[in-house]
Amino acid sequence: MFKKILIAEDHEVRNLGVVNALTELQIDHFDFVSYCDDALKRIKTAEAEKEPYDLLITDLSFDKDHFQQNLKSGQELIREVKNIDPKLKIIAFSIENKPKVIDDLFKILSIDGFVSKGRHDGKELRNTIKKIFKGEKVIPQEILNSIRNAPLEITENDELLLTLLAKGFTQSEIEDHFKQNNITPNSKSSIEKRLNELREIFNAKNNIELVVICKDLGII
C-alpha cells in the first residue's frame, strides 16, 4: 500500500473524510495543505530529500482568499507536479461533474483516478486508492458513461464558436471575430451551417439549448 500521501484540500470538513479513509487503509504518513502552491513546495522538497510522495489527492477548485497564489486550481497543480515527478500517482477528489473536464484530466493530465465528493465518497476513495495501488485507472461508471455518450466531433474552432455564442455574440459578430483572427472558414453561411450541424450532434432545438447542453458537458 502507499506509504506517503499528500492531500491538497481547502475545506477542513472534507479532510476528516479523507483521514478516515486513509486510517482504514492503515496509511499513517499523510500531509495536508490548503493551497496548491504549498502542495507543489512539499512535493519539490520531498523529491530533493529523496523521500518522495507516493500519491497526491487533490481537489480541483480552491477558494480565493487574501493569500496570493500562483497556482489557482487542481489542474494547474497536477500539470506542475507531472513535470517534477511523472510517476507520482494522482487522484482528483472533486464535486466536478462535467464529462469533458473529467475526461481531460485523464487524457491530457494523465491522472490515475477520479472520486466525486458526495455521500459515499469515503468508501469510493478507499476503493480507488486500492485499485490505483494495483496499477488500475479509476473513472466512476456514471462519468465513464457520460464520456462515452458525449459527441466526439468537436474541434477547437467549434469550442470558440460555442463560447462566443454563449457570450451573446451574433452570427455577424462571430463572423467578424473569425475574420479578424484569421480563423477559417469564416463566412456567415459557413458559421450558420456549422451551428446547424452542432444542433444536430447535440440534439438541440435551438442555439440557446445548444449552449446549455455544451455548458453541462463542460465543452464551454
Side-chain angles (χ1 to χ4, degrees), residues 9-11 14 59-61 93-96 114-119 121 124:
E9 166 64 66
D10 59 352
H11 288 274
R14 290 296 180 189
D59 198 349
L60 298 178
S61 301
F93 184 44
S94 172
I95 61 171
E96 179 61 65
F114 181 91
V115 177
S116 297
K117 290 181 177 179
R119 184 171 296 176
D121 55 21
E124 292 179 11

Side-chain angles (χ1 to χ4, degrees), residues 2-3 20 54 89 91 99 105 109 119 128 130 133 145 184 187 191:
F2 296 112
K3 300 298 183 183
N20 290 336
D54 304 311
K89 301 294 184 180
I91 295 175
L105 290 171
L109 297 179
R119 184 171 296 176
T128 298
K130 289 178 183 178
F133 182 73
N145 291 340
T184 57
S187 67
I191 291 170

Side-chain angles (χ1 to χ4, degrees), residues 7 18 29 31 37 51 84 109 174 183 187:
I7 302 99
V18 176
H29 192 160
D31 299 313
D37 285 9
E51 295 181 354
I84 297 170
L109 297 179
I174 293 174
I183 299 170
S187 67

Side-chain angles (χ1 to χ4, degrees), residues 14-214:
R14 290 296 180 189
N15 289 347
L16 295 175
V18 176
V19 168
N20 290 336
L22 298 181
T23 300
E24 290 191 25
L25 291 172
Q26 298 183 330
I27 298 172
D28 299 321
H29 192 160
F30 49 84
D31 299 313
F32 283 96
V33 291
S34 299
Y35 300 96
C36 292
D37 285 9
D38 290 342
L40 187 61
K41 288 179 183 177
R42 289 280 190 114
I43 290 171
K44 285 181 176 179
T45 300
E47 285 287 325
E49 295 176 349
K50 306 298 182 182
E51 295 181 354
Y53 287 97
D54 304 311
L55 173 67
L56 168 66
I57 301 173
T58 181
D59 198 349
L60 298 178
S61 301
F62 290 79
D63 295 337
K64 294 181 180 179
D65 58 20
H66 58 285
F67 291 106
Q68 184 65 35
Q69 300 293 310
N70 293 318
L71 302 178
K72 299 177 175 62
S73 70
Q75 287 94 328
E76 292 181 13
L77 171 61
I78 293 168
R79 190 173 291 109
E80 291 297 323
V81 167
K82 285 293 183 180
N83 290 332
I84 297 170
D85 184 3
K87 295 181 180 179
L88 178 64
K89 301 294 184 180
I90 298 177
I91 295 175
F93 184 44
S94 172
I95 61 171
E96 179 61 65
N97 61 3
K98 294 179 179 177
K100 187 177 186 300
V101 174
I102 298 172
D103 196 28
D104 285 347
L105 290 171
F106 286 91
K107 289 183 177 178
I108 298 175
L109 297 179
S110 300
I111 69 169
D112 300 278
F114 181 91
V115 177
S116 297
K117 290 181 177 179
R119 184 171 296 176
H120 304 294
D121 55 21
K123 179 180 179 181
E124 292 179 11
L125 183 58
R126 291 195 303 274
N127 291 336
T128 298
I129 292 173
K130 289 178 183 178
K131 290 178 180 178
I132 290 175
F133 182 73
K134 294 177 181 178
E136 299 179 35
K137 293 274 186 178
V138 185
I139 311 175
Q141 189 60 49
E142 64 273 17
I143 298 298
L144 192 58
N145 291 340
S146 297
I147 293 170
R148 286 171 175 170
N149 294 331
L152 301 176
E153 304 93 334
I154 306 304
T155 66
E156 288 186 7
N157 284 356
D158 290 334
E159 291 180 15
L160 175 59
L161 171 58
L162 291 165
T163 299
L164 294 175
L165 193 66
K167 290 180 178 180
F169 279 52
T170 65
Q171 289 181 33
S172 295
E173 290 171 333
I174 293 174
E175 177 187 9
D176 292 340
H177 182 88
F178 275 26
K179 287 180 178 178
Q180 290 169 7
N181 291 277
N182 298 317
I183 299 170
T184 57
N186 52 32
S187 67
K188 190 173 181 179
S189 60
S190 64
I191 291 170
E192 175 58 33
K193 178 182 178 182
R194 187 53 183 161
L195 284 173
N196 286 333
E197 292 171 346
L198 290 170
R199 286 195 295 270
E200 289 183 12
I201 289 171
F202 290 99
N203 195 27
K205 298 182 180 66
N206 50 51
N207 288 342
I208 294 176
E209 186 175 4
L210 175 63
V211 168
V212 170
I213 292 171
C214 290

